[in-house]
């Protein structure tokens, strides 16, 4: 079971924990009235998306026998104006480093994550468009 808990610590700060007891401070940005001492809650789904699709892609590429030596996932978005302020599109930039990488296999791994495996991406896709780019770096 997935679980999250947040306890208010004053001003706009919360201390949060996951189902295994790992701690994460949450706070609004300084521009948003907070002290900026924690993760901004609106960024957490983007972090979740980066981790979710990253895990999928690395795992799939391993099964495809691709030699991955480095991997980065950079997720960006803008918040919509007004309320409720959702995301105005999300872009995922994958940078895959490796030896003899097959571009078609890397693209297939990304597609499988987006269309089949990444739970976070499936949830976010219902609310906004998600695009991606893939950069391969031969090492």
């Amino acid at each position: 079971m997935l679980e999250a808990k947040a306890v208010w610590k004053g001003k706009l700060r919360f201390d949060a924990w996951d189902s295994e007891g790992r701690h994460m401070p949450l706070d609004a940005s300084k521009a948003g009235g907070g002290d900026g001492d924690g993760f901004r809650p609106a960024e957490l789904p983007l972090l979740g998306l980066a981790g979710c699709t990253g895990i999928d892609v690395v795992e799939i590429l391993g099964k495809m026998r691709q030699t991955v030596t480095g991997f980065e996932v950079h997720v960006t978005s803008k918040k919509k104006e007004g309320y409720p302020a959702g995301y105005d599109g999300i872009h995922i930039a994958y940078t895959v480093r490796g030896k003899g990488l097959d571009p078609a296999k890397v693209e297939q791994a990304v597609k499988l994550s987006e269309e089949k495996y990444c739970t976070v991406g499936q949830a976010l896709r219902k609310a906004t468009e998600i695009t991606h780019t893939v950069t391969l770096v031969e090492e």
Side-chain angles (χ1 to χ4, degrees), residues 19-134:
S19 55
E20 296 192 23
R22 291 177 291 248
H23 173 257
M24 174 183 294
L26 304 174
D27 197 357
S29 67
K30 289 182 180 182
D35 292 329
D37 291 335
F39 289 90
R40 291 171 46 194
E43 293 173 334
L44 295 178
L46 303 179
L47 289 168
L49 176 60
C52 182
T53 191
I55 289 167
D56 290 343
V57 172
V58 166
E59 185 175 41
I60 294 165
L61 289 174
K63 291 178 181 178
M64 292 177 166
R65 297 196 169 138
Q66 295 295 289
T67 304
V68 176
T69 58
F71 185 75
E72 291 181 21
V73 183
H74 184 191
V75 179
T76 56
S77 182
K78 291 182 181 177
K79 285 175 62 177
K80 290 181 181 176
E81 296 294 324
Y83 294 97
Y87 298 108
D88 190 12
I90 295 173
H91 182 75
I92 308 170
Y94 298 92
T95 302
V96 186
R97 297 179 179 279
K99 297 179 181 179
L101 294 169
D102 181 337
K105 287 185 178 183
V106 174
E107 193 64 45
Q108 182 183 10
V110 168
K111 185 176 178 179
L112 283 168
S113 175
E114 288 183 353
E115 295 178 1
K116 188 172 183 179
Y117 296 114
C118 181
T119 304
V120 178
Q122 293 299 320
L124 291 172
R125 192 174 311 286
K126 292 177 183 177
T128 193
E129 178 184 20
I130 299 176
T131 59
H132 77 266
T133 54
V134 176

